[in-house]
Amino acid sequence: MLTTNINKAKKALKNNDIVAIPTETVYGLAGNAYNERALKKIFILKKRPFYNPLIVHIKSTSFLNKIACNIPDTALRLAETFWPGPLTLVLQRKSLIPDLVTSGKETVAIRVPDHPITLALLDQLDFPLAAPSANPFGYISPTSAKHVSNYFKNNLDIILDGGECERGIESTIIGFEDNNPILYRHGSISIDEIEKLVGKITVAVKNDINPNSPGMLSRHYSPSTDTYLTNNVPELLKSFEGKKIGLLLYNKEIISKINVVQEVLSISGNLNEAAKNLYEALHRLDNNNLDAIIAEIFPDKGLGITINDRLQRAAKDCKVIAY
Ligand code: TXA
Ligand code: MG
């Protein structure tokens, strides 16, 4: 099931089967982006609603013109700067891309992933790979091959093992309206980095009924364990006396009289490192038979913004307690 053999993956994909692939962000459930049979398999395996479109993974920027048109200059500049890398561009699609990929939209989401195994695989294929994150719909994204196999067990024949994901959090998604860039999803590239290149950009408002990008659905990326988000962990912890609690913390453990499982994401206080460790820590806590997880709100800057976005979606409740 877990393998590093690209040829096996290549053969399966050519046969329109589904293969889990490593990327620098999270693992993906990949299939031939031109083939409806393969695409349907992805949606069914992931239990993903058909209204939620997929990202198409291409091998290089030069492939862009095959599947997208009317590409804004800003998009090209972003692609030149960040590809291969954790940036997804939503562009006008060409008809080669099936409706299933775009959920019938006239736009298609595209990126060049930055992982040597997946780039080598794409290089050997004459089609791009549609791939959502390799988790059942609504659950935490996988950042290791083991996470993927825990989710899909025998329902997935091939998982290409590329080790732990370097970034550990999904790509940043940018779309365009009247050629102006719009942020659809916070991701591994912070909004500051994007704005350094293209100036101030609009952040798409969260909308549960008709989300521009369903990654913006407010309940998403969820552990099975009830999760709470707070700016005052010790205070919230008091209301869970007698329960088995896990804590997700930024840079230091808390001193607690009751027995708690603590996950500290970056002892040195580095938000990039914290982002990389976030999902692995959530997976670990979620597999620990806890009554609840309490996560602290991260600093609201750089990748802290992305981490807070994911924690808000993972959480049942957000308690801001005044000190
Ligand atoms: O880092 C990533 O982006 C990972 C790796 C595997 O590449 N993929 C990923 O895919 O996170 P997924 O399917 O879990 O999230 C893709 C997001 C969804 O929120 C989807 O709604 C949005 O991309 N999306 C796809 N096509 C879109 C479109 N045409 N317009 C707006 N949003 C789109
Ligand atoms: Mg996902």
Side-chain angles (χ1 to χ4, degrees):
M1 214 183 178
L2 262 61
T3 178
T4 50
N5 186 334
I6 292 182
N7 285 330
K8 269 194 195 161
K10 186 173 138 189
K11 209 168 143 202
L13 289 164
K14 285 191 163 175
N15 206 20
N16 296 318
D17 282 331
I18 304 308
V19 166
I21 54 164
T23 83
E24 80 284 27
T25 59
V26 300
Y27 276 70
L29 269 187
N32 179 347
Y34 296 155
N35 184 274
E36 301 219 343
R37 209 155 60 90
L39 295 167
K40 276 193 191 134
K41 285 184 193 169
I42 296 175
F43 281 95
I44 290 165
L45 185 57
K46 195 177 152 88
K47 296 198 173 71
R48 177 170 177 122
F50 283 99
Y51 63 73
N52 196 346
L54 306 177
I55 296 176
V56 176
H57 296 71
I58 58 175
K59 61 183 163 197
S60 67
T61 312
S62 56
F63 205 88
L64 203 49
N65 288 315
K66 282 209 171 145
I67 58 173
C69 53
N70 297 330
I71 303 168
D73 286 346
T74 314
L76 288 175
R77 266 202 298 144
L78 285 164
E80 268 162 26
T81 308
F82 292 111
W83 283 355
L87 171 76
T88 294
L89 295 173
V90 175
L91 301 168
Q92 204 173 320
R93 72 156 160 173
K94 282 193 173 164
S95 54
L96 191 60
I97 295 294
D99 276 346
L100 266 174
V101 170
T102 70
S103 302
K105 285 170 184 279
E106 282 314 305
T107 52
V108 57
I110 305 169
R111 82 180 191 98
V112 181
D114 189 13
H115 192 290
I117 292 184
T118 294
L119 283 173
L121 176 65
L122 281 167
D123 202 41
Q124 292 183 35
L125 297 170
D126 53 8
F127 49 83
L129 293 173
S133 52
N135 49 281
F137 185 67
Y139 284 81
I140 312 163
S141 294
T143 54
S144 72
K146 190 87 185 70
H147 293 159
V148 183
S149 68
N150 285 347
Y151 276 141
F152 296 105
K153 311 247 160 30
N154 294 329
N155 293 324
L156 185 60
D157 287 339
I158 301 177
I159 299 171
L160 263 184
D161 189 349
E164 274 174 32
C165 301
E166 272 305 307
R167 301 289 197 132
I169 221 159
E170 296 82 353
S171 60
T172 302
I173 305 183
I174 306 274
F176 296 86
E177 274 166 37
D178 300 326
N179 286 335
N180 296 318
I182 312 237
L183 183 89
Y184 285 156
R185 179 174 75 181
H186 289 287
S188 278
I189 300 175
S190 71
I191 191 163
D192 307 346
E193 282 176 89
I194 305 276
E195 288 185 335
K196 250 185 231 155
L197 191 75
V198 302
K200 198 95 194 123
I201 70 170
T202 311
V203 178
V205 198
K206 187 167 31 171
N207 177 349
D208 276 4
I209 298 153
N210 182 18
N212 269 329
S213 181
M216 301 295 274
L217 286 171
S218 59
R219 198 75 202 280
H220 215 87
Y221 310 104
S222 293
S224 316
T225 315
D226 284 350
T227 301
Y228 300 85
L229 184 59
T230 178
N231 66 342
N232 192 336
V233 174
E235 193 58 38
L236 186 59
L237 197 52
K238 286 184 192 159
S239 52
F240 286 94
E241 217 171 300
K243 301 269 195 253
K244 204 177 160 201
I245 302 298
L247 302 181
L248 188 80
L249 303 163
Y250 175 32
N251 56 2
K252 53 178 181 295
E253 289 200 346
I254 66 151
I255 299 159
S256 164
K257 274 187 232 138
I258 63 166
N259 200 9
V260 283
V261 182
Q262 309 204 30
E263 291 280 353
V264 176
L265 297 190
S266 171
I267 289 173
S268 63
N270 177 325
L271 287 166
N272 296 359
E273 184 185 32
K276 179 182 177 186
N277 292 332
L278 174 68
Y279 289 153
E280 167 62 26
L282 273 175
H283 278 281
R284 259 201 308 265
L285 290 172
D286 206 23
N287 291 326
N288 220 328
N289 290 320
L290 299 166
D291 294 313
I293 298 169
I294 299 177
E296 78 176 327
I297 298 174
F298 279 61
D300 202 32
K301 58 174 191 208
L303 286 193
I305 297 174
T306 303
I307 296 172
N308 286 334
D309 170 87
R310 297 303 190 273
L311 289 176
Q312 269 158 19
R313 292 168 204 281
K316 230 180 125 135
D317 196 7
C318 179
K319 284 210 170 27
V320 178
I321 302 162
Y323 286 103

